Amino acid sequence: MEEKNPLLQVVDLSVDFRLDRKTSLHAVRHVSFDLYKGETLGIVGESGCGKSVTCMSILQLNPARRTRYPSGQILFDGKDLLHMTPKQLRPIRGNEIAMVFQEPMTAMNPLFSIGDQLMEALRVHNPRMEKSEAYERSLEAVRRVKIPNPERILKTYPFALSGGMRQRAMIAMAMITRPKLLICDEPTTALDVTIQAQVLDLMNELKHEIGTSIIFITHDLGVISEMADRVLIMYGGRVCEEADVDELFTKPRHPYTVGLIDSHPNPEYDGDRLKVIPGSVPTLRDMPAGCPFNNRCAYASDTCRDVFPDFEEAESGHTVACHNWRQALQKGGAAR
């Protein structure tokens, strides 16, 4: 059987933020992954690990004047997005690739109604579309995300909606052009548990209905277990493990992945103190040489402090970047 081609390929992506003429911060280093049609890829890691920077690079949404890309390609349907001009990207942004941000109040224009913003998303990419058609499609988009009284909502301004309603409106805006790829940057962080579950169910429904691929960025392993087909674990601007979601939760290999899973309550949680990963995440200014996790890892060796490890295949489709994952596995530090 012939292998299908990826919808998106991120190849050896590195991202620097320039502070001044002499100083740059290395935010992301040598990140690679593929995304296939209809697939959900979860990207997990603590704050500052490079999740959002990686995904903002796909649409060149990082600050243009201060961002540099020392290496990498971002191939979408075979086209390299990383080296496109803003004019070349315009037909792709919001049309073929859409994004749902963490806080909809900062992503939506407070001076325009929900309806105006939905219709603008359509007419920017379809200038010949009649206003009446754009209105009907906006109405249908609001109905699809299960917002009650859609006619009234289209006339409403963002500040008048609850957090959950605003996030639904953002999802409607992102999906109205039926994009091939939806990037979700922690879209449920500010929502209560009930609304969060509703939003996740909604996104899964839309994915199956439209066939959209999803990149889901979060630090919440519970969300990832519900949403993702495959998972990428990031730390210190690097990918340290990649696997199918079931494989990752049952057979984590990297000590950092094990620490994340152990620090999260499971259904058999008995109320004892949860395990913690010792130490804290290094800042970009103080990132250690070699593996960025070496100063928090119980299995770190001199090699870990000098050289970032190559990726190894622990199982079919399960890769890990760790010099000592086998030793950790033998000692019970990377197994369930």
Side-chain angles (χ1 to χ4, degrees), residues 2-282:
E2 198 172 62
E3 188 176 345
K4 57 182 178 178
N5 294 321
L7 174 69
L8 178 76
Q9 290 178 284
V10 175
V11 184
D12 194 39
L13 176 67
S14 295
V15 185
D16 290 353
F17 291 132
R18 191 177 64 179
L19 300 183
D20 52 47
R21 290 184 178 180
K22 296 182 179 179
T23 310
S24 292
L25 299 178
H26 306 318
V28 168
R29 275 290 169 270
H30 306 296
V31 168
S32 298
F33 61 84
D34 294 342
L35 178 71
Y36 292 88
K37 183 179 179 182
E39 182 181 42
T40 297
L41 175 70
I43 302 183
V44 182
E46 296 172 78
S47 297
C49 73
K51 307 184 301 292
S52 295
V53 171
T54 297
C55 291
M56 297 280 266
S57 300
I58 294 171
L59 289 173
Q60 294 188 32
L61 295 178
N62 295 310
R65 291 186 179 181
R66 296 201 173 271
T67 306
R68 296 290 180 270
Y69 300 98
S71 68
Q73 289 181 298
I74 299 175
L75 303 174
F76 177 73
D77 270 351
K79 299 170 285 190
D80 190 354
L81 305 181
L82 197 59
H83 299 99
M84 284 187 176
T85 65
K87 184 177 180 180
Q88 290 171 323
L89 271 173
R90 199 169 297 133
I92 296 173
R93 285 177 175 159
N95 188 32
E96 295 187 58
I97 304 177
M99 194 156 186
V100 177
F101 296 93
Q102 181 173 345
E103 180 41 68
M105 273 304 286
T106 60
M108 301 177 91
N109 192 324
L111 302 179
F112 291 90
S113 69
I114 300 297
D116 286 339
Q117 295 184 62
L118 282 166
M119 287 188 282
E120 181 186 30
L122 280 171
R123 299 184 77 192
V124 160
H125 296 290
N126 302 277
R128 296 183 181 179
M129 182 178 288
E130 295 292 335
K131 192 173 181 179
S132 58
E133 183 184 350
Y135 176 82
E136 289 301 322
R137 285 188 58 177
S138 299
L139 203 61
E140 177 56 32
V142 173
R143 288 195 186 103
R144 190 183 290 127
V145 296
K146 299 180 173 63
I147 296 180
N149 200 346
E151 291 86 356
R152 181 181 65 81
I153 292 297
L154 290 185
K155 299 175 184 176
T156 303
Y157 288 83
F159 69 85
L161 299 179
S162 67
M165 288 293 186
R166 280 197 297 268
Q167 199 60 283
R168 286 171 184 262
M170 271 297 299
I171 294 170
M173 196 178 302
M175 300 299 285
I176 197 168
T177 58
R178 302 176 77 88
K180 296 178 181 178
L181 171 59
L182 180 66
I183 302 171
C184 302
D185 190 357
E186 306 205 37
T188 60
T189 298
L191 306 179
D192 64 54
V193 177
T194 304
I195 301 300
Q196 175 177 292
Q198 292 173 359
V199 168
L200 294 178
D201 287 344
L202 169 64
M203 293 178 71
N204 273 326
E205 285 177 22
L206 292 172
K207 169 190 165 182
H208 294 304
E209 178 186 335
I210 297 173
T212 298
S213 303
I214 297 176
I215 296 177
F216 202 97
I217 306 167
T218 185
H219 57 268
D220 190 330
L221 291 172
V223 169
I224 282 297
S225 67
E226 292 292 325
M227 287 292 295
D229 300 306
R230 282 188 306 118
V231 186
L232 211 68
I233 304 292
M234 290 189 68
Y235 185 88
R238 297 266 196 171
V239 175
C240 56
E241 188 163 7
E242 180 180 0
D244 290 343
V245 64
D246 293 336
E247 172 85 8
L248 187 92
F249 279 94
T250 56
K251 296 180 181 178
R253 300 303 192 196
H254 198 284
Y256 177 59
T257 309
V258 174
L260 284 180
I261 294 173
D262 283 346
S263 65
H264 193 274
N266 59 48
E268 291 152 11
Y269 176 58
D270 58 7
D272 289 341
R273 289 177 67 88
L274 294 170
K275 295 180 182 178
V276 298
I277 302 173
S280 57
V281 181

